Amino acid sequence: MATLLYTDPRFVDHDTTAGHPERPERMDAVGRGVAASVVAEDLVHLTPREATVDELALVHDRSYLDALERFCASGGGHLDPDTVAAARSWDVARLAAGAGLDAIDRLTAGEADAAFLAVRPPGHHATPSRAMGFCLLNNVAVAAASLAHAGERVLVVDIDAHHGNGTQDAFWDDPRVTYLSVHEHPMYPGTGMVRETGGPNAPGTTVNVPVPSATSGDVYRRLVDDVIVPVAERMAATWVLLSTGFDAHRNDPLTDLGLSSGDYYDLTTRILALAPAGRRLAFLEGGYDLDAITTSTAATLAALAGVEHRPEPVTSGAADEPGHQAVGAARLIHHLA
């Protein structure tokens, strides 16, 4: 199966300053994962285009977009204690957001079965009106909004270790898009509780599964079977977009979850199978251990191509009962039990 791979040397121009965890070297780690992938020769390498302001405005307030462009043009700096924008960051962020849009066009045209968007800066913390959590523009939300605008039923599944508060905010009261997140709790940004289920016009279209530290792959696999599959079937999703944060890997320095790259293979395979071939996208979000990025990239690309490859064994843990309880709570609240 053909898989589109989007990346670009310009992504390193988003300069987050020395010592920042969301650093340009993450792209080098992705590149090593691409080279090591068992499907490396079958990938279709593409250069993304910049998203237009009108496309970004499907998610973001125009006043925010104008302010961010001006901030970068003036040389940039810290937008908050964690989030940095440099002089080139406006252009780079538009490139990251545009990758998904170009992938949608090519997948719709039948050029491939799936796409991996190896982009930076990440996006899922960026709300309609502000940057935060290393994120400037919400890449997956821009893609989902474009699809929803075209009449598609979109499921966004977020497996980053941190809750994607920006994606949740973007679609909180929008019945066209279902957002489902599994994330470590307690953890930045402090949102994503199980009873956060959507606004008055979109009840049940936000699904949160906060899990405790050390949660391993067996909980995630149960989550797919008991929550994600029923949600996708209930909404009859026509596209699945995966926010792939590799910071749920057990070696990540910023989090305390217990996944391996083998688990990422399993999760990507099972989640993206919920949409037809040609309607599947995976977006790079977080992930700050370079070796974990490399092996998890290789696993994810194999999963997208339908080729079995687990660089590390899958994980399970006797201490996972609180995680299973979190899955059970989500089932009850969303009437999936």
Side-chain angles (χ1 to χ4, degrees), residues 8 19 68 83 87 111 136 156 207 220 244 287 290 301:
D8 194 284
L68 180 61
T83 310
E111 295 183 23
L136 304 181
V156 179
V207 183
Y220 280 74
T244 308
L290 298 183
L301 290 171

Side-chain angles (χ1 to χ4, degrees), residues 129-144:
S129 61
R130 65 173 290 197
M132 62 181 291
F134 311 163
C135 303
L136 304 181
L137 300 173
N138 197 316
N139 309 316
V140 71
V142 169

Side-chain angles (χ1 to χ4, degrees), residues 235-261:
M235 68 172 294
T238 56
W239 285 75
V240 173
L241 279 54
L242 184 62
S243 274
T244 308
F246 295 141
D247 50 1
H249 192 281
R250 58 193 172 191
N251 292 338
D252 194 88
L254 300 188
T255 67
D256 296 297
L257 291 174
L259 298 189
S260 70
S261 57

Side-chain angles (χ1 to χ4, degrees), residues 157-207:
V157 179
D158 192 333
I159 58 173
D160 191 279
H162 302 88
H163 179 243
N165 60 296
T167 311
Q168 176 171 296
D169 287 358
F171 303 114
W172 178 254
D173 206 30
D174 186 340
R176 303 172 302 171
V177 177
T178 294
Y179 175 66
L180 191 153
S181 175
V182 53
H183 47 272
E184 185 175 355
H185 173 76
M187 180 61 68
Y188 178 91
T191 52
M193 297 299 96
V194 69
R195 293 193 178 277
E196 296 172 22
T197 59
N201 296 310
T205 60
T206 295
V207 183

Side-chain angles (χ1 to χ4, degrees), residues 3-6 44 46-49 95-119 143 146-147 239 241 278-283:
T3 301
L4 309 179
L5 173 65
Y6 283 83
V44 180
L46 293 167
T47 298
R49 67 167 177 86
L95 200 66
L101 298 173
D102 191 73
I104 288 168
D105 289 342
R106 292 179 182 272
L107 292 175
T108 301
E111 295 183 23
D113 294 323
F116 181 55
L117 299 309
V119 300
S146 173
L147 288 167
W239 285 75
L241 279 54
R279 302 294 183 266
R280 307 164 180 171
L281 288 84
F283 292 75

Side-chain angles (χ1 to χ4, degrees), residues 2 11 21 38 50 58-59 64 70 92-93 116 136 144 150 176 189 200 205 225 244 250 265 270 280 286 304 312:
F11 287 134
V38 295
E50 292 183 351
L58 291 175
V59 171
Y64 166 66
R70 291 195 305 270
V92 175
F116 181 55
L136 304 181
R176 303 172 302 171
T205 60
D225 293 338
T244 308
R250 58 193 172 191
Y265 168 81
R270 297 171 74 176
R280 307 164 180 171
L304 289 167
E312 300 172 304

